[in-house]
Amino acid sequence: MKILGIETSCDETAASIVENGIKVLSNVIASSVDLHKKTGGVVPEVAAREHMRQISPVIDKAMDDAGVSMSDINAIAVTHAPGLITSLLVGVNTAQTISYIHKKPLIPIHHIAGHIYANFLERNEPMKFPIIVLTVSGGHNELVLLKSHYEFQVIGETLDDAAGEAFDKVARLLNLGFPGGPVIAKSAEKGNPNAYTFPRAYLDKKNKYNFSFSGLKTAVMNEIRKSGPQMKNVKCKMINDIAASFQKAVVEVLSDKLVKAAEEFDAKEVHLAGGVSANKALRETTAKKLDNKIPLKYPEKLIYCTDNAAMIAGAAYFLSKKFPERVGDWSGVEVYSQLPLR
Ligand code: KG4
Ligand code: ZN
């Protein structure tokens, strides 16, 4: 089964052809990130205009790269939520049009389900359930229990900022650029992670699997204000030390809650998903805490960590296997996603 996936929830215009949920035949991504660097964050209006410009050439290239024509495609999958509504609409309207003209079933996919299924791309061995997934990116931060295919239970989420959002905001405070994750990670490699003791919000028992990063962000901001004049020189050691100490605080909380949840829910696998899953420190710290007791997986390629359409096509395949009656049905898409819509 070959599915054309389309993803336009934020600033990446992406299309991909995936066979049977695993084999990636093509994966095309046009990012408007350079335009957003000027503003230090994604401007929805700018992102939507870029999607309009890019969507047709990106889909054409995905078809060409895979060497397929519409007659080879079994279904069209598209991200329907969550995301920037003006961005989502470009992908959804395009997918609806292709589906209508070529008489192909349309499969709406939840963006976070997509990130979760990015871990299944290019995997040969079968997954073992239950799986605990930490979904961490710019817009979302959840702990999800995947009991079987497409059976999600959100057991924790952020009470304020998502981890990626915290990386982006701190990078902005440090004048390191956008997106923040990769630049903070790079700066952190040269810094001392124990130079500053930033707060870690483990929260009370009721919130043991929830997250909060706003206090950490404020603590970093206060430290930067205090050290004001010295921060002017972007090459200074202090920036690297703050980046390293901040990253350590985020990674410790994320990995700690993930590993505790894995133990409590008797997970057979632990997964990292979403843009922040690209973070080396997060991967290494989580692996160390798991101590080879439970296998740790993250997307096979870095390109599957951040937004892409292969994960959407992959998720659509597993959804269509589990709920064949739902393919092409837009009513109650949330019912089987069980994931937050914003
Ligand atoms: O999944 P994604 O592409 O978009 C959303 O669904 O939000 O994730 C983007 C986020 C950004 O906040 C970015 O700073 C973060 O992922 N990110 C990273 C790394 N690479 C990307 N965060 C930490 N370390 C990284 N290496
Ligand atoms: Zn995403």
Side-chain angles (χ1 to χ4, degrees), residues 115-135:
H115 276 300
I116 291 171
Y117 277 95
N119 272 315
F120 292 67
L121 296 171
E122 296 184 16
R123 281 258 144 83
N124 294 318
E125 81 279 22
M127 297 288 171
K128 292 191 193 81
F129 296 99
I131 301 172
I132 285 282
V133 195
L134 174 70
T135 57

Side-chain angles (χ1 to χ4, degrees), residues 41-327:
V42 177
V43 178
E45 162 80 14
V46 174
R49 285 185 187 278
E50 278 307 293
H51 285 312
M52 291 197 311
R53 219 164 59 78
Q54 297 283 4
I55 190 80
S56 297
V58 163
I59 293 173
D60 284 348
K61 183 159 177 16
M63 299 291 287
D64 285 352
D65 287 358
V68 296
S69 64
M70 268 304 159
S71 57
D72 302 311
I73 299 293
N74 302 96
I76 316 291
V78 63
T79 307
H80 75 88
L84 303 171
I85 190 65
T86 42
S87 286
L88 287 164
L89 275 169
V90 178
V92 168
N93 287 346
T94 306
Q96 282 172 325
T97 308
I98 298 173
S99 153
Y100 178 77
I101 292 174
H102 294 280
K103 300 193 172 35
K104 306 282 176 189
L106 182 62
I107 312 178
I109 294 295
H110 193 285
H111 183 75
I112 302 174
H115 276 300
I116 291 171
Y117 277 95
N119 272 315
F120 292 67
L121 296 171
E122 296 184 16
R123 281 258 144 83
N124 294 318
E125 81 279 22
M127 297 288 171
K128 292 191 193 81
F129 296 99
I131 301 172
I132 285 282
V133 195
L134 174 70
T135 57
V136 265
S137 71
H140 34 87
N141 196 141
E142 291 88 21
L143 268 176
V144 180
L145 177 65
L146 189 59
K147 296 177 189 165
S148 67
H149 275 302
Y150 255 88
E151 200 184 346
F152 307 107
Q153 185 188 336
V154 178
I155 59 165
E157 60 195 336
T158 181
L159 303 176
D160 38 61
D161 292 349
E165 195 177 352
F167 270 94
D168 294 339
K169 287 179 178 169
V170 167
R172 203 176 185 171
L173 291 170
L174 291 172
N175 266 326
L176 289 175
F178 177 83
V183 281
I184 293 257
K186 202 165 160 222
S187 169
E189 276 176 21
K190 292 170 264 167
N192 171 9
N194 302 314
Y196 299 89
T197 312
F198 290 130
R200 281 106 166 111
Y202 288 103
L203 308 173
D204 56 12
K205 220 172 161 196
K206 188 173 97 242
N207 287 298
K208 67 177 175 173
Y209 293 134
N210 288 335
F211 302 90
S212 167
F213 294 110
S214 64
L216 169 61
K217 185 187 65 197
T218 309
V220 173
M221 196 162 73
N222 291 340
E223 193 55 56
I224 293 172
R225 286 217 178 112
K226 215 167 69 189
S227 338
Q230 300 165 67
M231 300 297 296
K232 289 269 180 329
N233 177 5
V234 285
K235 289 199 186 91
C236 81
K237 177 179 176 307
M238 189 181 292
I239 289 181
N240 296 335
D241 285 350
I242 291 180
S245 304
F246 159 78
Q247 178 174 268
K248 187 176 179 193
V250 174
V251 162
E252 273 186 6
V253 174
L254 290 176
S255 57
D256 202 76
K257 294 192 180 227
L258 172 60
V259 172
K260 285 211 170 84
E263 284 162 0
E264 180 177 333
F265 290 92
D266 207 8
K268 297 287 174 288
E269 288 184 14
V270 172
H271 289 194
L272 301 174
V276 185
S277 70
N279 189 276
K280 208 168 140 223
L282 177 62
R283 292 176 174 192
E284 288 174 0
T285 309
T286 309
K288 209 165 161 195
K289 286 186 183 166
L290 286 169
D291 193 24
N292 287 326
K293 290 192 185 96
I294 313 171
L296 173 66
K297 314 246 174 193
Y298 33 79
E300 197 65 28
K301 290 183 180 160
L302 278 180
I303 203 83
Y304 303 145
C305 294
T306 43
D307 290 348
N308 66 87
M311 66 186 197
I312 302 304
Y317 171 80
F318 290 102
L319 171 63
S320 68
K321 288 282 141 195
K322 181 95 180 209
F323 299 108
E325 73 284 3
R326 293 283 199 175
V327 172

